[in-house]
Amino acid sequence: MVGKDSHFIHGFTHSELRRSGTMTARQRRRRAELERDHGRPDRRSVKREVARVLGTVTAGMSRVVIHSDENPAYPRAFARLRGLEIEHHTISSRAARTSRNPLFAINLADLLVRHSCANHKRETLAFSKRVGGSIGRMWVLVTWRNYVKWFSERRHEGTPAMRAGVCPHRCSVRQVLSERLFPGRIALPAAWAEHYWGRVPTRQIAKTREHKLEYAA
């Protein structure tokens, strides 16, 4: 979820997706083998996780305006949030992805992810072996994008965090890493606590590597 005007990344989700689209006979057999060995991804995952992150980000709010693509899972996710009035605008994926597109902020965020994270490039040897590793790298990018990177490299205009009113100044990497923030002192939303403690499982790996360091709490 990205602020339309501030470009502040408020949160993200992780959802397993079943391979779809055009496949060769060999690819279909391979999908069947993987699903036989590891189970089939939950087809309601996107709906559940979108509702979860939206509920986290909008906690305490009564109304929100959302621009999204035409994914049919989104309206079903929004319907799960009682007490939150949602004004929902959909934009075709065929619309030109220029700065005039209402989805420009999220399209730019997606571009930065692919540009900055080797594990998100389309063809790479650097893919994350564990889901927790991918989530951890994404939080690093979110912190950098929100608090360190200029809103515009040409005009600067503050950082997304400054434009969103979250932080009054641009942070250096040294400032970001100057102090440890312990989850025992600063509460985390349930979904993000699972990210911090490494509790999101990797389907192909039997043992989840949780974050259980003695001095981490």
Side-chain angles (χ1 to χ4, degrees):
M1 294 191 66
V2 182
K4 180 175 178 290
D5 298 317
S6 67
H7 290 197
F8 185 86
I9 302 176
H10 293 275
F12 62 88
T13 69
H14 166 262
S15 295
E16 291 183 323
L17 295 177
R18 188 184 192 219
R19 179 169 183 170
S20 59
T22 303
M23 290 181 283
T24 64
R26 179 178 176 277
Q27 290 170 334
R28 289 185 179 279
R29 288 196 300 271
R30 179 57 177 161
R31 183 182 70 172
E33 291 171 0
L34 290 172
E35 293 182 351
R36 182 191 63 222
D37 295 339
H38 306 294
R40 181 172 175 173
D42 183 359
R43 61 184 178 181
R44 296 184 296 272
S45 177
V46 172
K47 179 177 69 173
R48 182 182 65 250
E49 294 301 325
V50 167
R52 195 179 192 189
V53 71
L54 181 57
T56 298
V57 170
T58 61
M61 299 174 63
S62 59
R63 185 177 184 276
V64 65
V65 178
I66 293 180
H67 296 81
S68 76
D69 60 24
E70 297 172 317
N71 190 324
Y74 294 161
R76 294 196 290 268
F78 301 158
R80 302 180 67 163
L81 298 172
R82 307 297 182 187
L84 179 65
E85 181 184 349
I86 299 176
E87 182 181 330
H88 184 204
H89 303 272
T90 60
I91 293 86
S92 171
S93 58
R94 297 182 178 182
R97 299 192 177 190
T98 65
S99 59
R100 295 183 179 182
N101 189 315
L103 298 183
F104 176 73
I106 189 69
N107 290 335
L108 177 59
D110 183 63
L111 182 150
L112 285 172
V113 169
R114 293 185 182 278
H115 175 75
S116 305
C117 298
N119 60 327
H120 280 275
K121 297 186 186 299
R122 293 189 183 277
E123 294 186 15
T124 181
L125 295 175
F127 64 91
S128 298
K129 311 305 186 291
R130 294 175 181 269
V131 171
S134 178
I135 289 174
R137 292 185 66 164
M138 183 61 70
W139 277 117
V140 171
L141 181 133
V142 167
T143 302
W144 168 77
R145 172 55 173 160
N146 284 344
Y147 297 94
V148 179
K149 190 179 186 308
W150 291 113
F151 176 83
S152 167
E153 292 298 330
R154 184 176 63 182
R155 299 186 301 273
H156 288 188
E157 298 178 343
T159 64
M162 293 169 63
R163 293 170 67 92
V166 175
C167 183
H169 59 83
R170 180 182 182 233
C171 297
S172 66
V173 173
R174 181 180 293 274
Q175 289 174 316
V176 170
L177 301 177
S178 64
E179 184 180 0
R180 294 183 65 181
L181 303 178
F182 294 90
R185 302 174 186 173
I186 302 174
L188 289 172
W192 297 349
E194 292 181 6
H195 292 177
Y196 179 87
W197 295 112
R199 294 170 182 158
V200 182
T202 301
R203 187 177 290 269
Q204 297 88 343
I205 301 176
K207 186 176 181 181
T208 299
R209 185 182 298 170
E210 294 189 22
H211 183 44
K212 293 183 177 180
L213 298 180
E214 182 178 352
Y215 298 105

